[in-house]
């Protein structure tokens, strides 16, 4: 697991879970942006170095090697104990399939998770979940309108700081700069909202 430190050497911790492509350069760049914003960033490699370059390869990796819940749980615990992390609790960010797993972990009170951000992953969180911010695409072949609406309604009922945003004109993977679906304006807005949410949960 890679750990990225901010310029000051310490800060609040954030675990970033990659999509089914693996820990690729786009995800590493995203983590670097978080570190530049002052966070200690953990980048767990759920596929042990393997990176998919097509949907078919990604499906193979997921079907063969996906054990995200356990690996992300370990990453959260490990990062929370890192000397550079302030406060002992960490935020989590998950893209697509990792986001789905992290919504499930958001209700696990044995984990030191202060808040969860997910990109294009819809799942109704269990009762007693921690704060969740969801970034959802407008047109998503992997997520139904019904499931996204249900998640948004659940987060609305839970109240602030829980929230779900759907980004007009976007598709799945809109926040990953190496994808043809990348939408720069929506990705930037989602990133700024993510920073605000994480700071509200992690910075006293």
């Amino acid at each position: 697991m890679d750990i990225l430190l901010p310029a000051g050497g310490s800060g609040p911790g954030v675990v970033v879970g990659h999509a089914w492509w693996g820990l690729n350069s786009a995800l590493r760049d995203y983590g670097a942006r978080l570190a530049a914003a002052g966070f200690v960033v953990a980048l767990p490699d759920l596929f042990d170095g393997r990176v998919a370059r097509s949907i078919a390869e990604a499906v193979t990796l997921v079907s063969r090697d996906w054990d995200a819940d356990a690996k992300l749980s370990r990453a959260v615990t490990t990062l929370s104990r890192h000397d550079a992390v302030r406060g002992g609790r960490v935020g989590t960010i998950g893209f697509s399939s990792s986001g789905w797993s992290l919504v499930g972990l958001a209700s696990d009170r044995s984990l030191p998770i202060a808040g969860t951000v997910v990109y294009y992953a819809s799942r109704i969180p269990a009762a007693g979940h921690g704060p969740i911010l969801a970034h959802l695409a407008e047109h998503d072949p992997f997520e139904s309108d019904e499931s996204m609406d249900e998640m948004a309604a659940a987060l609305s009922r839970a109240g602030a700081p829980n929230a779900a945003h759907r980004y007009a004109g976007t598709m799945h993977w809109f926040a990953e700069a190496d994808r043809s679906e990348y939408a720069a304006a929506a990705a930037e807005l989602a990133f700024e909202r993510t920073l605000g949410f994480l700071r509200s949960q992690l910075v006293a």
Side-chain angles (χ1 to χ4, degrees):
M1 181 170 72
D2 292 347
I3 303 289
L4 308 180
L5 299 179
S10 65
V14 180
V15 173
V16 182
H18 59 71
W20 65 357
W21 310 114
L23 185 54
N24 60 16
S25 59
L27 202 285
R28 291 182 183 278
D29 289 345
Y30 184 94
R33 285 195 72 188
L34 287 172
F39 294 93
V40 178
V41 181
L43 300 175
D45 187 344
L46 306 180
F47 295 149
D48 299 322
R50 292 180 291 276
V51 173
R53 290 173 176 80
S54 69
I55 290 176
E57 289 179 3
V59 169
T60 298
L61 285 177
V62 169
S63 62
R64 185 178 62 194
D65 295 324
W66 194 251
D67 187 20
D69 287 13
K71 292 178 179 178
L72 289 168
S73 294
R74 287 196 294 271
V76 165
T77 300
T78 299
L79 183 64
S80 71
R81 297 170 178 169
H82 195 283
D83 290 343
V85 171
R86 301 173 189 162
R89 288 171 62 78
V90 302
T92 62
I93 300 173
F95 287 81
S96 197
S97 42
S98 281
W100 196 90
S101 290
L102 287 171
V103 171
L105 296 180
S107 60
D108 185 345
R109 293 304 187 179
S110 71
L111 293 173
I113 297 175
T116 298
V117 179
V118 298
Y119 283 82
Y120 23 88
S122 59
R123 180 179 185 178
I124 298 176
H129 64 83
I132 296 172
L133 173 65
H135 304 302
L136 305 174
E138 181 180 14
H139 308 291
D140 196 326
F142 299 94
E143 304 288 337
S144 69
D145 286 335
E146 180 181 13
S147 66
M148 290 189 285
D149 289 345
E150 288 176 350
M151 182 183 192
L155 294 179
S156 178
R157 288 193 299 271
N162 297 280
H165 302 281
R166 287 185 78 172
Y167 295 80
T170 62
M171 299 184 68
H172 203 89
W173 304 312
F174 73 83
E176 296 169 55
D178 62 339
R179 297 293 305 174
S180 62
E181 297 86 354
Y182 179 63
E188 189 62 26
L189 177 57
F191 186 77
E192 291 302 320
R193 284 171 168 164
T194 295
L195 290 181
F197 174 82
L198 292 173
R199 287 169 176 155
S200 72
Q201 301 310 307
L202 293 169
V203 180

